[in-house]
Amino acid sequence: MRARQLEVFTAVMRVGTVTGAAEVLNISQPALSQILLHCEDDLGFKLFAREKGRLRPTAEALEIYPEAERLFSGLEGLRRKTQDLRLGRAGLVRVAASVPPAMSVLPEILAGYRARYPDVLLRSHVAPIATLIAMLRAGDAALALAMDDKAPPDIDVERLGATTFCCLLPETHPLAARETVSFADLADQTLISYRAETRPRDELDKAAQRQGQAFAAQLEIEVSISAVGFVQAGLGIAVVDALLPWGQFDGVTTRPLHDGPALPLSLLTLSGKALSRAEEGMRDEIRKFSKMRLPSLP
């Protein structure tokens, strides 16, 4: 029994008449009757006996109907699934990000995506860039947001925009009275910033050297969010990315780092791996947000 024959047989069994089944399937009565006749010819036995304008199922039809109903229900489910996939309405999208974009840009991106694709399951991960790359390679994430534009050859990098650096300091600190803070202002301060041999630290080191200053952190951190508690405890001034929403934390304030470097925000994907429609929709949402909200790289 072919798929179309299965559909017609099930409809007739459900409705009980050729007229009703034809209306349900949106086809003509002659066309439906012809499909039934071909089905009976293929099977080698009658499915219906005609009595006073109605169709009475034969014993054979009654015997195969439960299995036909089960198969047809599965076929309907498959059709809905393929349509959802075609429209990007179903599936799972896994997005990974380092902490700053995870806490700043990603929530708005996911909100925009959810409005367009309410049926897609979303899964987010927060990790440093080395782990983001490992997750892309393992298939644990399809897209990743990182504050870097350098990656191994098997990772595609799309620059989305840039962010700057700021100084995170206690609200009562004397430098809080300044509109901006320079590298020279930080020369005699206890600094909290990224560990050596990371992209943010390299950019800060180079920017300070261009201005004839040295940049030395007395307390090194792996991720910028960890600086909040240290600043609140009075351990020093943190020089961190300006992307993270620092204003939500009590007892601290931020000032722009004068003539500070820019730090790229990039979209990472695994080279050669095709994205599903749902994942393509997420990439489109990321690009749209970046174009509207992120400053360009210098």
Side-chain angles (χ1 to χ4, degrees):
M1 188 180 290
R2 300 183 181 93
R4 187 57 167 167
Q5 294 172 344
L6 177 66
E7 184 178 35
V8 167
F9 170 65
T10 305
V12 174
M13 290 293 290
R14 288 175 176 178
V15 178
T17 66
V18 170
T19 302
E23 290 177 356
V24 169
L25 298 176
N26 196 29
I27 61 175
S28 66
Q29 289 181 238
L32 187 143
S33 297
Q34 194 67 28
I35 293 171
L36 272 182
L37 290 174
H38 283 309
C39 181
E40 290 176 334
D41 288 342
D42 291 344
L43 293 173
F45 55 81
K46 290 289 184 181
L47 292 171
F48 298 98
R50 289 160 178 80
E51 295 181 354
K52 299 180 181 180
R54 293 186 63 86
L55 298 180
R56 181 176 61 81
T58 63
E60 290 82 1
L62 292 172
E63 185 171 346
I64 68 173
Y65 176 59
E67 183 67 13
E69 184 68 56
R70 185 187 68 80
L71 291 172
F72 182 63
S73 296
L75 181 61
E76 285 184 314
L78 177 61
R79 285 174 176 168
R80 288 193 298 270
K81 182 70 172 180
T82 54
Q83 183 181 34
D84 284 344
L85 289 172
R86 177 171 57 84
L87 298 175
R89 291 193 310 230
L92 168 65
V93 173
R94 290 169 287 199
V95 185
S98 57
V99 175
M103 293 186 65
S104 54
V105 304
L106 191 57
E108 191 168 339
I109 290 170
L110 294 186
Y113 184 85
R114 173 63 73 213
R116 292 173 56 202
Y117 305 97
D119 300 323
V120 175
L121 176 63
L122 300 176
R123 186 173 297 161
S124 66
H125 306 270
V126 181
I129 186 168
T131 304
L132 298 182
I133 291 172
M135 294 180 71
L136 291 172
R137 288 170 172 165
D140 294 328
L143 309 104
L145 294 172
M147 296 177 68
D148 205 337
D149 56 1
K150 299 175 182 177
D154 61 332
I155 301 297
D156 289 335
V157 178
E158 179 180 341
R159 296 184 181 94
L160 301 171
T163 186
T164 55
F165 289 86
C166 68
C167 295
L168 185 67
L169 36 82
E171 292 176 333
T172 57
H173 195 283
L175 290 179
R178 307 272 186 97
E179 289 188 4
T180 64
V181 176
S182 68
F183 283 106
D185 294 329
L186 298 174
D188 59 349
Q189 301 291 326
T190 300
L191 298 184
I192 303 163
S193 197
Y194 306 91
R195 67 172 176 82
E197 299 182 357
T198 61
R199 178 65 183 273
R201 179 61 178 274
D202 290 344
E203 296 297 335
L204 288 167
D205 286 341
K206 288 185 290 186
Q209 290 171 11
R210 287 194 296 267
Q211 298 174 41
Q213 300 291 328
F215 185 82
Q218 287 76 42
L219 199 167
E220 293 187 338
I221 55 174
E222 187 72 31
V223 292
S224 56
I225 186 65
S226 63
V228 176
F230 300 145
V231 174
Q232 289 172 329
L235 292 174
I237 295 175
V239 182
V240 288
D241 65 86
L243 188 62
L244 207 147
W246 300 108
Q248 64 183 286
F249 301 105
D250 295 331
V252 298
T253 189
T254 60
R255 293 295 181 270
L257 178 63
H258 182 67
D259 285 341
L263 196 60
L265 177 64
S266 302
L267 173 63
L268 309 183
T269 52
L270 186 65
S271 299
K273 181 183 181 298
L275 298 179
S276 69
R277 287 183 176 269
E279 291 165 347
E280 288 177 346
M282 179 62 72
R283 182 179 60 189
D284 292 343
E285 193 66 32
I286 291 171
R287 288 170 172 170
K288 182 177 73 172
F289 175 90
S290 302
K291 186 176 181 180
M292 295 175 58
R293 300 290 299 277
L294 292 178
S296 301
L297 282 166

